[in-house]
């Protein structure tokens, strides 16, 4: 184990801060490149030693040795990518562009090392006689699969080509994400008081704070952070301004010039298809899904098609009712995409006597954080205590997590406010993952969101959707915090991507459980709980607008599978392809994909969800069915069900095949019925 003590570089010195946190205050962007260089070299030497080891191959001298290796690299990478996502800068972005092909090259050196693969293949061939524990057998199996899927069994010329493809893809993915961020940062719609027709107080306050942050005090700024522009689209009575904001939002990555992503997409799709072919698959989607719970694109598509037909029918009915409101208001225009959210909000208000401005004061950020904690206490016995530790940004906060016996579980960091240095979206990540191979290592888990920051002294208010996002990311967080495995490879969220959304999406259900909502949804000004009648109306709207939401999402998942399912994706015209596929799907003209291809970061910024955006729906089948397990007992916190959930899902990492894990929890595989019911699509006639 190398751990060079280099006092001049805080990234390479042992992190001795509270809870093992890195010394953020003394880390500067210029520390990263040399730290990466040294950590990469050290890991390379470790890998070579494992590959060249003259001893006969054993689980310990290959698999466990690899699992123990690369610790400096992991620490440097973890802190770097936390900053690159949540608090980036020109200097960090420059390092990111430099380092991403180097990391890809490094990964190639590991997975395409012929001596190393020969030793793993030898061990794998003898696996039945090695006396391995179930977890060790799983780790060996995963290593073997990973090496084969990376091309370790191919000939040298194919491997050289794969290596070049991987490096190029890494660079393109980095550039893609930076281009989207650049388009988001460069756009701001600065408004005067008189332009705010329809905006409720909370939206005015957020816009005012955003303008002040951008050096325009007294004005109102609408930005392309989702919470800013979606709120504006929902409330602004100014059709002209809604159109402006909406156009900027859907054109991210498609504005011509240096930040245009279309050429990058064409190249990435082509390279991915070529890689899949080299590895013996017909398309990238076939390659990708082979190692997922779904196994084949056909299985994923079957689910999406089932949902799509119903969602389109439901969205058509929603559109008609919105068009009626337009006519009723004296409007003489067909409903456009930039009108949908505005009229949907009006209809919601009319039909359920419910408007966002009435609800929002009840969803204070800090109370919702407490609600997420309380849910974890009731399900898993966890407690959370705010601790004062130096972090990378003053808006980030940390809580120590303990179990029912008072033992330390890990550290949870919540970084909830939008800012210009943060990528859009919401995500969970980690500074350190749980494992027991090198002693008892506790996790340091982050949730990063983009909620509008309130003016000084005021409490941040969330929409119900924002609150759901908070619970979602916290569910991922628990998947990391509760992890209880020995080997790092299997830790926490290291599961197939069509399974990884189960812990997060399942957790969203508890936000809607009355004893959580009633206790934690309290008015920001009066402290009063949400009146029962309002709560009932809020919960009654759960399936409201699901036609729109399901179409907006499912179109993305289908276009993703189409794009990555192409066998010959040469000469791709991205705009044309997207238009043609949506036409083939009969996409409603009034709805735009939730993520259009030029800014579809799930697919192209790193590529974690390439040919995998269906995963959210796949996981939703699981989460809807899984929550039924609690509903069936009449107790949303049923201790026996919660224990099984912890054993087989939240603490189990990748110990088992995803289908086996689910069966362990539920006793059977899920059916799609609970999902259709949850989305209000069960009774739709198609
Ligand atoms: Zn998620």
């Amino acid at each position: 184990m190398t751990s060079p003590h280099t006092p001049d570089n805080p990234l390479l010195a042992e992190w001795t801060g509270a809870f093992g946190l890195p010394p953020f205050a003394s880390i500067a962007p210029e520390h990263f490149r040399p730290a990466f260089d040294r950590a990469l070299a050290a890991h390379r030497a470790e890998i070579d030693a494992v590959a060249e080891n003259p001893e006969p191959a054993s689980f310990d001298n290959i698999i466990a040795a690899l699992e123990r290796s690369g610790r400096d690299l992991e620490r440097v990478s973890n802190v770097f990518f936390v900053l690159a996502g949540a608090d980036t800068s020109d200097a960090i972005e420059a390092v990111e562009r430099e380092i991403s092909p180097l990391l890809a090259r490094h990964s190639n050196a590991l997975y395409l090392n012929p001596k190393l693969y020969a030793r793993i293949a030898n061990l794998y061939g003898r696996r039945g006689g090695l006396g391995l524990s179930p977890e060790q057998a799983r780790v060996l199996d995963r290593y073997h699969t990973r090496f084969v899927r990376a091309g370790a069994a191919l000939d040298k010329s194919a491997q050289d080509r794969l290596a070049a493809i991987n490096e190029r893809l890494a660079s393109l993915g980095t550039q893609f994400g930076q281009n989207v961020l650049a388009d988001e940062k460069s756009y701001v719609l600065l408004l005067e008081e008189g332009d705010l027709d329809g905006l409720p107080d909370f939206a005015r306050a957020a816009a005012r704070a955003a303008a002040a942050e951008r050096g325009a005090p007294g004005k109102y700024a609408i930005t392309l952070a989702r919470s800013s522009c979606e709120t504006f689209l929902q409330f602004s009575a100014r059709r002209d301004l809604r159109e402006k904001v909406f156009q900027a939002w859907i054109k991210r990555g498609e504005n011509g010039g240096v930040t245009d992503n279309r050429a990058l997409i064409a190249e990435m799709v082509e390279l991915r298809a070529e890689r899949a072919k080299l590895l013996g698959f017909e398309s990238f989607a076939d390659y990708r899904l082979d190692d997922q719970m779904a196994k084949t694109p056909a299985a994923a598509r079957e689910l999406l098609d089932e949902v799509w037909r119903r969602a389109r029918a439901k969205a058509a009915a929603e559109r008609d009712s919105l068009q009626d409101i337009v006519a009723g208001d004296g409007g003489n225009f067909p409903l456009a995409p930039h009108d949908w959210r505005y009229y949907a909000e009006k209809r919601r208000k009319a039909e359920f006597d419910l408007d966002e401005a009435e609800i929002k004061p009840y969803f204070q950020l800090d109370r919702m954080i407490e609600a997420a904690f309380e849910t974890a206490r009731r399900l898993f016995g966890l407690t959370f205590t705010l601790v004062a530790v130096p972090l990378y940004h003053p808006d980030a906060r940390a809580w120590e997590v303990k179990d029912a016996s008072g033992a330390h579980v890990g550290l949870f960091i919540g970084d909830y406010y939008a800012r210009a240095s943060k990528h859009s979206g919401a995500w969970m990540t980690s500074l350190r993952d749980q494992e027991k191979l090198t002693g008892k290592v506790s996790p340091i888990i982050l949730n990063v969101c983009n909620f509008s920051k309130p003016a000084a002294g005021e409490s941040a208010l969330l929409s119900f959707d924002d609150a759901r996002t908070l619970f979602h990311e916290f569910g991922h967080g628990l998947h990391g915090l509760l992890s209880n495995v020995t080997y790092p490879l299997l830790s926490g969220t290291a599961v197939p991507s069509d399974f990884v959304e189960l812990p997060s999406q399942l957790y969203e259900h508890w936000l809607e459980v009355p004893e959580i909502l009633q206790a934690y949804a309290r008015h920001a000004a009066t402290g009063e709980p949400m009146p029962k009648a309002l709560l009932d109306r809020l919960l009654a709207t759960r399936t409201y607008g699901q036609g729109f939401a399901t179409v907006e999402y499912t179109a993305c998942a289908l276009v993703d599978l189409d794009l990555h399912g192409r066998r010959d994706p040469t000469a791709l015209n991205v705009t044309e392809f997207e238009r043609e596929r949506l036409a083939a799907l009969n996409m409603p003209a009034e709805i735009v994909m939730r993520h259009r291809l030029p800014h579809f970061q799930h697919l192209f910024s790193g590529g974690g969800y390439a040919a995998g955006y269906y995963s959210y729906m796949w996981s939703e089948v699981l989460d809807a069915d899984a929550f039924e397990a609690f509903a069936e007992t009449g107790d949303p916190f049923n201790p026996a069900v919660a224990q099984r959930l912890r054993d087989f899902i939240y603490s189990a990492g990748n110990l088992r095949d995803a289908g086996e894990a689910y069966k362990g929890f539920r006793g059977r595989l899920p059916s799609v019925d609970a999902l259709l019911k949850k989305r209000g699509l069960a009774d739709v006639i198609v």
Side-chain angles (χ1 to χ4, degrees):
M1 280 289 289
T2 53
S3 191
H5 181 71
T6 44
D8 58 318
N9 193 322
L11 288 161
L12 290 169
E14 286 296 334
W15 295 342
T16 52
F19 305 104
L21 281 166
F24 286 112
S26 42
I27 295 173
E30 58 268 25
H31 291 129
F32 281 106
R33 184 56 203 267
F36 268 118
D37 285 341
R38 273 194 252 182
L40 283 164
H43 190 212
R44 185 72 178 264
E46 290 172 318
I47 294 166
D48 288 345
V50 174
E52 307 286 344
N53 189 339
E55 303 284 316
S58 72
F59 182 87
D60 190 66
N61 73 20
I62 302 175
I63 301 300
L66 288 175
E67 286 285 273
R68 285 189 292 263
S69 73
R71 294 311 171 96
D72 285 337
L73 179 58
E74 190 176 305
R75 287 189 310 168
V76 175
S77 296
N78 286 354
V79 70
F80 179 75
F81 287 107
V82 162
L83 295 181
D87 197 24
T88 192
S89 62
D90 290 346
I92 294 273
E93 289 200 337
V95 176
E96 197 180 6
R97 286 190 299 271
E98 268 175 44
I99 205 69
S100 58
L102 295 186
L103 290 174
R105 194 174 305 162
H106 183 70
S107 162
N108 289 335
L110 170 65
Y111 288 109
L112 301 177
N113 180 320
K115 283 187 183 163
L116 188 56
Y117 176 64
R119 284 170 74 76
I120 290 173
N122 169 291
L123 199 64
Y124 184 74
R126 298 186 281 119
R127 63 192 178 283
L130 298 172
L132 301 179
S133 72
E135 180 170 350
Q136 289 172 328
R138 177 77 177 164
V139 178
L140 173 56
D141 182 72
R142 292 307 305 159
Y143 263 97
H144 184 254
T145 302
R146 277 192 173 206
F147 272 74
V148 171
R149 283 179 58 78
L154 300 182
D155 65 36
K156 177 83 171 70
S157 73
Q159 288 190 347
D160 288 347
R161 180 61 191 148
L162 274 179
I165 290 174
N166 292 342
E167 274 182 48
R168 179 69 184 149
L169 280 171
S171 289
L172 291 168
T174 301
Q175 190 61 54
F176 185 97
Q178 293 187 355
N179 287 346
V180 176
L181 184 61
D183 277 6
E184 288 175 358
K185 266 162 82 170
S186 67
Y187 182 86
V188 60
L189 179 66
L190 270 186
L191 301 176
E192 307 289 339
E193 178 99 43
D195 299 322
L196 307 182
D197 282 3
L199 292 197
D201 288 346
F202 75 83
R204 288 168 187 246
R208 205 179 161 89
E213 198 188 319
R214 281 162 183 75
K219 298 211 178 207
Y220 298 84
I222 307 304
T223 72
L224 296 184
R226 192 175 273 277
S227 58
S228 174
C229 72
E230 277 200 338
T231 301
F232 189 78
L233 293 168
Q234 197 175 355
F235 290 106
S236 172
R238 285 281 298 276
R239 191 164 192 245
D240 58 330
L241 297 178
R242 288 202 309 268
E243 181 168 13
K244 258 192 191 170
V245 170
F246 190 74
Q247 284 303 323
W249 173 244
I250 65 170
K251 292 285 278 181
R252 288 169 298 146
E254 199 189 42
N255 290 308
V258 292
T259 61
D260 195 302
N261 272 331
R262 285 171 291 184
L264 274 63
I265 294 171
E267 190 179 348
M268 290 177 91
V269 170
E270 198 171 328
L271 289 172
R272 285 171 178 166
E274 186 185 347
R275 183 168 66 180
K277 274 214 179 70
L278 286 167
L279 291 162
F281 292 87
E282 288 196 333
S283 73
F284 180 77
D286 286 290
Y287 164 70
R288 177 66 202 260
L289 271 71
D290 191 56
D291 197 35
Q292 298 290 312
M293 189 175 172
K295 304 287 186 220
T296 65
R301 186 175 293 274
E302 190 186 342
L303 168 65
L304 295 172
D305 284 344
E306 168 86 32
V307 171
W308 177 249
R309 287 181 294 120
R310 293 163 185 269
R312 249 196 26 222
K314 183 145 196 199
E318 289 173 10
R319 178 203 52 218
D320 292 348
S321 67
L322 300 185
Q323 189 67 60
D324 288 347
I325 301 179
V326 172
D329 276 7
N332 184 23
F333 53 85
L335 191 78
H338 52 266
D339 298 320
W340 191 295
R341 288 174 177 81
Y342 177 70
Y343 288 99
E345 178 60 26
K346 279 197 156 199
R347 183 182 149 216
R348 187 161 80 130
K349 198 169 174 177
E351 231 171 81
F352 298 94
D353 188 22
L354 196 67
D355 76 287
E356 186 80 24
E358 188 186 3
I359 301 164
K360 204 152 179 163
Y362 290 98
F363 290 100
Q364 299 174 71
L365 171 63
D366 285 0
R367 301 291 293 173
M368 288 301 111
I369 296 170
E370 285 175 41
F373 290 170
E374 171 65 7
T375 302
R377 188 187 67 75
R378 294 187 62 171
L379 287 170
F380 306 121
L382 300 181
T383 60
F384 295 78
T385 309
L386 190 65
V387 288
V389 288
L391 297 169
Y392 56 91
H393 190 280
D395 285 347
R397 288 178 275 175
W399 289 265
E400 185 185 9
V401 187
K402 291 183 174 171
D403 70 14
S405 72
H408 177 78
V409 169
L411 194 69
F412 173 70
I413 296 171
D415 177 4
Y416 290 106
Y417 297 133
R419 55 178 168 263
S421 64
K422 199 189 262 189
H423 282 240
S424 56
W427 63 92
M428 167 271 197
T429 185
S430 65
L431 281 163
R432 190 172 68 197
D433 295 320
Q434 181 275 334
E435 52 130 328
K436 290 181 281 193
L437 185 63
T438 58
K440 195 174 177 304
V441 177
S442 66
I444 301 176
I445 301 295
L446 291 88
N447 276 181
V448 183
C449 298
N450 270 285
F451 303 140
S452 295
K453 190 175 177 173
E458 284 175 34
S459 50
L461 300 180
L462 306 183
S463 67
F464 195 43
D465 271 352
D466 288 340
R468 197 177 284 125
T469 297
L470 187 151
F471 267 63
H472 177 102
E473 297 309 331
F474 193 73
H476 283 308
L478 287 177
H479 201 189
L481 286 165
L482 288 169
S483 175
N484 184 19
V485 301
T486 299
Y487 293 91
L489 184 78
L490 306 180
S491 184
T493 55
V495 298
S497 54
D498 55 4
F499 189 73
V500 79
E501 298 301 328
L502 167 60
S504 53
Q505 294 181 171
L506 177 59
Y507 210 72
E508 295 174 32
H509 289 261
W510 280 284
L511 170 61
E512 298 187 353
V513 163
E515 46 264 70
I516 293 297
L517 258 189
Q518 264 157 8
Y520 291 91
R522 286 175 178 270
H523 197 280
T526 66
E528 291 294 315
M530 187 182 279
K532 178 83 170 64
L534 182 59
L535 183 67
D536 289 346
R537 280 183 284 139
L538 176 65
L539 293 180
T541 63
R542 266 183 297 194
T543 57
Y544 174 74
Q546 280 298 317
F548 173 83
T550 311
V551 162
E552 189 195 45
Y553 161 81
T554 310
C556 292
L558 286 164
V559 169
D560 169 31
L561 280 182
D562 282 340
L563 185 65
H564 289 107
R566 295 190 359 149
R567 287 166 196 190
D568 176 25
T570 45
L572 175 71
N573 178 326
V574 171
T575 309
E576 196 45 49
F577 178 84
E578 187 186 279
R579 185 172 27 233
E580 186 260 314
R581 289 320 303 157
L582 292 173
L585 287 169
N586 274 315
M587 178 77 168
E590 303 82 2
I591 304 179
V592 172
M593 295 165 77
R594 183 171 173 84
H595 310 280
R596 292 194 50 234
L597 291 174
H599 48 258
F600 205 154
Q601 307 213 56
H602 298 76
L603 309 193
F604 302 113
S605 181
Y609 281 84
Y613 197 64
Y614 77 93
S615 297
Y616 293 94
M617 185 68 74
W618 189 271
S619 290
E620 195 175 323
V621 172
L622 302 175
D623 79 61
D625 186 76
F627 194 69
E628 288 281 304
F630 287 93
E632 283 161 10
T633 68
D635 175 7
F637 300 98
N638 182 288
V641 181
Q643 188 62 48
R644 285 206 306 279
L645 184 64
R646 181 178 189 151
D647 291 347
F648 288 97
I649 311 283
Y650 281 92
S651 74
N654 200 355
L655 285 173
R656 299 172 188 85
D657 170 77
E660 291 307 312
Y662 193 83
K663 277 198 268 183
F665 162 63
R666 192 71 161 110
R668 57 164 176 76
L669 286 171
S671 84
V672 73
D673 301 347
L675 163 90
L676 295 176
K677 199 169 91 187
K678 174 184 164 192
R679 287 202 172 230
L681 299 173
D683 306 324
V684 175
I685 296 164
V686 288

